[in-house]
Amino acid sequence: MDARTARDVSDLRERLGAARKVCVLTGAGMSAESGIPTFRDAQSGLWSKLDPMQLASEAGFRADPRLVWDWYAERREGVRRAQPNAGHEALAGYERRHPGRLTLVTQNVDDLHQRAGSRGVLRLHGDILLDRWLEHCPHQPSLTDTAGAIPGRPPKCPSCGNLVRPGVVWFGEMLPEGAMETAERAAFECDVMLVVGTSGAVWPAAGLAQVAREAGAHVAILNPQASAIDDQAHVCLRGTAAGVLPGVLKGV
Ligand code: BV8
């Protein structure tokens, strides 16, 4: 770590130690060191010719349900095989030491924050390990109870062919009721906002850094590369989640 980054880390540690309220926003880079490819990394193998933005949409699913279902099935396997990294653990430790101080908002659809022990994680883009029905249908008890599905790629309703889809928020879909309002309030009220591992390309999540900045919070971004929201940061730490977060949060 160079001298400039070391100075920035020590200043951030001081601020996190003194803060009344902290908001952390994480993106796919948070899980990269756990072996889960980031959203915009070139898709591996079969998927390299496909656009994740297209696959992660209702239109993409309706156009080729089996292709999209298989893409999620492969990603789900990757999430199940992955383990939380030192960055996830560091955030969970900080939360344990300061009950009620941290609001952790994630764009990620994996469960690594939760498996590291973080509680009350605010998921803006849903949960890749959950299923739900594509449509409301009269043959099924609810949108989220897919127990009545017959197996398949994707599974479907035996009575009307309604398809099962992953419980994530696709491009063009609204975020979960109230999630963004809660996240905006946390960004508005915090003294320190830490943004980890996001390109800042996806809205409205990307707007949270600006909400915090304009409300007077100290905004720090941790990312090995530049992001589209760096202009909202007081400091940009060029490093990785597992490499830098433990040093930022240890003993704070
Ligand atoms: C909505 C679930 C109302 C699916 C995902 C305003 C302006 C422009 C466009 C819009 C706008 N408002 C709405 C839109 C449309 C759209 C959007 O944002 N489009 C953009 C992309 C052009 N937004 C929506 O549709 C949202 N809905 O707003 O509803 C509405 C509807 C229609 C029209 C208007 C309004 C819903 C968005 C949710 C999409 N679903 N996920 C799935 O996962 O399959 S988003 C998906 O991208 C993932 O969740 C991912 O987390 C997320 C964001 O990407 P990042 O997390 O930033 O990941 P990325 O790969 O981009 O970057 C990784 C970063 O990590 C990099 O910077 C890298 O340097 C860094 N990194 C790498 N390694 C490490 C690291 N950092 C730290 N440590 C490391 N080791």
Side-chain angles (χ1 to χ4, degrees):
M1 184 182 293
D2 61 36
R4 160 101 187 264
T5 306
R7 255 199 326 278
D8 289 339
V9 165
S10 113
D11 173 64
L12 183 56
R13 283 172 56 81
E14 241 176 82
R15 291 172 184 272
L16 287 166
R20 217 180 12 86
K21 287 278 178 202
V22 173
C23 182
V24 173
L25 170 68
T26 62
M30 182 76 226
S31 301
E33 287 152 292
S34 297
I36 297 180
T38 65
F39 206 73
R40 277 162 196 70
D41 270 354
Q43 297 294 321
S44 55
L46 167 66
W47 314 114
S48 52
K49 297 175 290 303
L50 300 167
D51 173 9
M53 298 275 294
Q54 183 51 33
L55 293 171
S57 72
E58 183 177 333
F61 180 68
R62 287 182 184 278
D64 194 335
R66 171 171 290 200
L67 175 77
V68 175
W69 179 262
D70 288 352
W71 182 54
Y72 279 95
E74 187 172 312
R75 288 175 61 197
R76 283 172 167 178
E77 272 324 298
V79 168
R80 290 194 181 97
R81 275 197 311 273
Q83 292 304 321
N85 62 53
H88 294 105
E89 310 284 352
L91 285 169
Y94 180 81
E95 176 193 308
R96 262 195 310 277
R97 291 192 297 278
H98 305 289
R101 183 184 297 185
L102 173 64
T103 301
L104 177 53
V105 184
T106 191
Q107 300 173 85
N108 297 342
V109 293
D110 63 54
D111 60 348
L112 297 185
H113 282 305
Q114 294 82 351
R115 281 161 56 193
S118 288
R119 304 223 298 269
V121 179
L122 204 49
R123 291 175 177 270
L124 297 183
H125 297 157
D127 180 348
I128 198 168
L129 300 179
L130 288 183
D131 281 339
R132 46 163 283 200
W133 291 105
L134 179 60
E135 321 266 4
H136 278 283
C137 88
H139 314 284
Q140 301 303 333
S142 79
L143 206 53
T144 52
D145 177 354
T146 60
I150 49 174
R153 291 161 59 196
K156 58 184 174 190
C157 171
S159 312
C160 66
N162 183 14
L163 300 176
V164 173
R165 52 158 287 182
V168 296
V169 178
W170 276 332
F171 287 99
E173 292 186 328
M174 302 302 281
L175 273 57
E177 180 80 23
M180 200 54 205
E181 292 72 11
T182 307
E184 280 169 342
R185 194 166 48 251
F188 184 78
E189 291 174 353
C190 71
D191 306 303
V192 178
M193 175 141 199
L194 177 54
V195 180
V196 182
T198 183
S199 60
V202 174
W203 290 79
L208 291 171
Q210 186 174 352
V211 169
R213 175 80 192 234
E214 288 175 357
H218 178 78
V219 178
I221 287 182
L222 171 57
N223 193 325
Q225 292 165 21
S227 82
I229 50 175
D230 282 2
D231 57 334
Q232 298 304 327
H234 293 95
V235 62
C236 289
L237 300 173
R238 288 288 170 251
T240 70
V244 174
L245 274 184
V248 166
L249 295 169
K250 191 177 63 221
V252 161

mmCIF file of all heavy atoms in Angstrom, residues 162 165 244:
data_model
loop_
_atom_site.group_PDB
_atom_site.id
_atom_site.type_symbol
_atom_site.label_atom_id
_atom_site.label_comp_id
_atom_site.label_asym_id
_atom_site.label_seq_id
_atom_site.Cartn_x
_atom_site.Cartn_y
_atom_site.Cartn_z
ATOM 1 N N ASN A 162 -47.273 -21.367 -16.744
ATOM 2 C CA ASN A 162 -46.590 -20.201 -16.147
ATOM 3 C C ASN A 162 -45.181 -20.615 -15.731
ATOM 4 O O ASN A 162 -44.993 -21.681 -15.156
ATOM 5 C CB ASN A 162 -47.401 -19.758 -14.921
ATOM 6 C CG ASN A 162 -46.844 -18.503 -14.254
ATOM 7 O OD1 ASN A 162 -46.001 -17.800 -14.828
ATOM 8 N ND2 ASN A 162 -47.293 -18.255 -13.039
ATOM 9 N N ARG A 165 -39.120 -18.092 -12.401
ATOM 10 C CA ARG A 165 -37.966 -17.235 -12.743
ATOM 11 C C ARG A 165 -37.192 -16.968 -11.465
ATOM 12 O O ARG A 165 -37.718 -17.142 -10.358
ATOM 13 C CB ARG A 165 -38.428 -15.917 -13.358
ATOM 14 C CG ARG A 165 -39.482 -15.193 -12.517
ATOM 15 C CD ARG A 165 -39.588 -13.736 -12.779
ATOM 16 N NE ARG A 165 -38.449 -12.989 -12.238
ATOM 17 C CZ ARG A 165 -38.329 -11.668 -12.317
ATOM 18 N NH1 ARG A 165 -39.250 -10.974 -12.943
ATOM 19 N NH2 ARG A 165 -37.284 -11.041 -11.798
ATOM 20 N N VAL A 244 -8.216 -4.554 1.424
ATOM 21 C CA VAL A 244 -8.155 -3.266 2.141
ATOM 22 C C VAL A 244 -9.144 -3.174 3.310
ATOM 23 O O VAL A 244 -8.827 -2.614 4.367
ATOM 24 C CB VAL A 244 -8.397 -2.095 1.151
ATOM 25 C CG1 VAL A 244 -8.496 -0.749 1.873
ATOM 26 C CG2 VAL A 244 -7.282 -2.059 0.111
#
